[in-house]
Amino acid sequence: MSASIGPIEPTPAPLSRAGNPALWVVIAAALVLSVVMGTRQTFGLYINPFSYDRGLPVTVIAFAIALHNLVWGFAQPFAGAAADRYGATPVVAFGAVTFAAGLALAAVAPSGLLLIIGLGLLVGIGISCTSFGVVLASVGRVATPQQRSMAMGIASAGGSLGQVLLVPLAQTVRESASVSVSLFVLAAIALAIAPAGLILDRGRKKSSASAVHTVAEPATSSLKEVLALAGRHRGYRLLTIGFFTCGFQLAFIGTHLPGYLTLCHMPLGLGATALALIGLFNMAGSWGCGWLGGHFRQQYVLGWLYLIRSGAIAAFLALPKTSASVMVFAAVMGLTWLGTVPLTSGLVAKVFGTRHLGTLFGVCFLSHQIGSFLGAWLGGYMFDLTGSYTMVWSATVAAGLLAALLHFAINDKPADNSPGMLTAALS
């Protein structure tokens, strides 16, 4: 009589194997993120030209840039929910067209109102459909649990290539032609990613039928019940609150670092170089955070990441400003820049599964974008009010320390998604 050993789970194909559908989804996700994240990192280069050439107050320009972060945050849960239900193809296509339209409107906007509509409203909607909540959710669904953190890290790392390439491109075109021409070039590049959703949806049905999950998916497909479950999960609440700091720090630095360096009498163009260097080191940082998230508890990696960021900012403020110190600061910030994203989305997938990952990450990301709005807008407001960025720099340090404490306290135990527990309070 032979003993039954039950079914044997197949060993997942290596992520680098050409036949693995996850590989192509990761490549497509990296391409989309490269264009979207690279383009938005150029916005800080346009503050002074918009102010000097069009006579707009820095506060108005900063508000337009800040608004796209807020709109992105509020639209992200809806974009994620649409991608969860209909797939990434229509969502990414719509987002690419809307993103390009916003950049084109900003290129010709003669007034602050049109700049706010283009760079704020339209760009924000476009990014919500072409960024993390949509593309990383596609990666999370097609990758196995063992590969998920690494796959998301690689996609985020590849996305940094756009920052390395598009920031210098925008600076060069702006200087050789004009602000309007450089924004039209970026709009054309944004349109080119519209078909990428077809690849992001590759293997979607196969993965949903065969993927092995470490977390039992909810027995019900009710989004309302899943959101109620997440809202009662203490770890999810702490993760959402802590993600605010990431947005606050990154938006302030990405928007106002070039202007701050100008105030410090640094060489012209150093701001663009620093932003490009952040993107270059972010490629290694995002990959490294994805690897760390696959080997260590993700909330602890996040806690240390926020501590390192705060220490780097404090040291940058305290030390004399030289080209070398700016480069070192940019490198350290790059290593910790977008590493929070694969760790945060991976932690959400670990606790709740991947069925509603786009929506749940989108809700969490809203907190990130509220922080982004405040970081970009408060930087401009405080500068117009006091002529200095010092208060906001100090706030980024304090917020990072608080975020570290919150993440160290997160419980990452998978949520009980059984029907009887969907509305139970979890901690």
Side-chain angles (χ1 to χ4, degrees):
M1 181 176 180
S2 60
S4 174
I5 60 174
I8 299 175
E9 292 179 357
T11 301
L15 189 61
S16 58
R17 182 176 295 176
N20 187 348
L23 172 64
W24 300 104
V25 174
V26 167
I27 292 173
L31 175 63
V32 174
L33 290 176
S34 288
V35 172
V36 173
M37 304 310 294
T39 297
R40 68 181 295 269
Q41 289 302 325
T42 68
F43 293 165
L45 303 177
Y46 297 105
I47 291 180
N48 286 341
F50 277 140
S51 178
Y52 297 146
D53 299 343
R54 303 186 186 183
L56 299 175
V58 173
T59 303
V60 172
I61 304 166
F63 178 78
I65 296 174
L67 182 61
H68 96 264
N69 288 296
L70 194 61
V71 172
W72 176 9
F74 277 104
Q76 185 70 90
F78 299 100
D84 286 343
R85 182 170 182 178
Y86 302 110
T89 301
V91 177
V92 170
F94 174 77
V97 172
T98 306
F99 190 17
L103 294 171
L105 180 58
V108 299
S111 66
L113 178 60
L114 289 179
L115 182 68
I116 289 170
I117 294 174
L119 208 57
L121 180 62
L122 294 179
V123 165
I125 294 173
I127 293 180
S128 72
C129 297
T130 53
S131 60
F132 307 117
V134 173
V135 301
L136 289 189
S138 296
V139 173
R141 274 187 286 265
V142 77
T144 66
Q146 297 85 355
Q147 298 170 340
R148 187 174 295 139
S149 181
M150 177 62 74
M152 289 180 173
I154 293 173
S156 298
S160 301
L161 183 61
Q163 188 170 345
V164 177
L165 299 177
L166 293 182
V167 171
L169 174 65
Q171 176 84 348
T172 300
V173 176
R174 195 201 80 185
E175 292 178 348
S176 61
S178 67
V179 168
S180 295
V181 172
S182 66
L183 286 170
F184 279 127
V185 169
L186 293 175
I189 294 173
L191 276 177
I193 64 171
L198 293 169
I199 304 175
L200 290 173
D201 281 336
R202 179 176 179 173
R204 176 183 174 88
K205 293 182 180 179
K206 179 180 178 182
S207 67
S208 63
S210 62
V212 180
H213 299 290
T214 57
V215 179
E217 300 286 358
T220 176
S221 59
S222 170
L223 178 59
K224 179 179 179 181
E225 290 183 336
V226 174
L227 288 173
L229 175 69
R232 293 185 174 94
H233 194 286
R234 180 174 178 268
Y236 183 79
R237 295 198 303 268
L238 292 177
L239 187 67
T240 300
I241 295 171
F243 214 18
F244 170 95
T245 292
C246 181
F248 183 79
Q249 292 175 324
L250 268 55
F252 171 70
I253 293 172
T255 303
H256 297 288
L257 181 61
Y260 175 74
L261 295 178
T262 300
L263 289 178
C264 295
H265 307 291
M266 293 285 98
L268 292 176
L270 184 60
T273 302
L275 292 178
L277 192 63
I278 288 173
L280 180 64
F281 276 83
N282 183 46
M283 291 177 11
S286 293
W287 176 86
C289 287
W291 183 89
L292 289 170
H295 291 77
F296 302 95
R297 298 179 74 176
Q298 291 156 325
Q299 67 270 35
Y300 292 164
V301 180
L302 281 164
W304 281 107
L305 187 149
Y306 284 113
L307 284 178
I308 292 171
R309 264 198 208 162
S310 291
I313 295 171
F316 179 63
L317 293 179
L319 294 174
K321 303 300 181 294
T322 65
S323 295
S325 69
V326 172
M327 294 296 99
V328 171
F329 172 71
V332 175
M333 290 305 301
L335 290 173
T336 63
W337 194 252
L338 288 180
T340 58
V341 175
L343 292 169
T344 301
S345 55
L347 191 55
V348 173
K350 179 180 180 181
V351 175
F352 298 104
T354 61
R355 179 175 299 177
H356 296 288
L357 178 58
T359 308
L360 291 176
F361 177 77
V363 173
C364 187
F365 193 68
L366 172 59
S367 174
H368 182 285
Q369 292 309 102
I370 293 173
S372 295
F373 171 82
L374 291 175
W377 176 71
L378 277 178
Y381 177 77
M382 294 306 299
F383 177 76
D384 279 348
L385 190 66
T386 67
S388 171
Y389 291 108
T390 301
M391 290 183 64
V392 188
W393 276 116
S394 300
T396 63
V397 176
L401 296 176
L402 177 60
L405 294 176
L406 293 177
H407 282 82
F408 285 134
I410 288 176
N411 178 7
D412 61 352
K413 181 180 178 182
D416 186 348
N417 291 332
S418 60
M421 294 296 293
L422 274 170
T423 56
L426 298 171
S427 61

